[in-house]
Amino acid sequence: MDMALGFIADYYGNDLAQDIANHTEYHWQKDPSVDNFARIYGFE
């Protein structure tokens, strides 16, 4: 989802991407160094 919002932000603007995140009640993680699943897959 974060990558999809990033794509939308790149092509259609950050405002639209943030609006989509807000309307879907999604917390958009924009910092690629924060990966809550890295430990599960052995990348931390």
Side-chain angles (χ1 to χ4, degrees), residues 9-39:
D10 287 347
Y11 284 87
Y12 301 103
N14 194 59
D15 289 342
L16 177 61
Q18 188 61 61
D19 284 347
I20 292 169
N22 292 345
H23 282 89
T24 58
E25 298 181 356
Y26 182 76
H27 175 74
W28 183 11
Q29 180 53 260
K30 298 175 189 174
D31 183 354
S33 69
V34 176
D35 186 345
N36 296 326
F37 296 95
R39 185 177 307 152

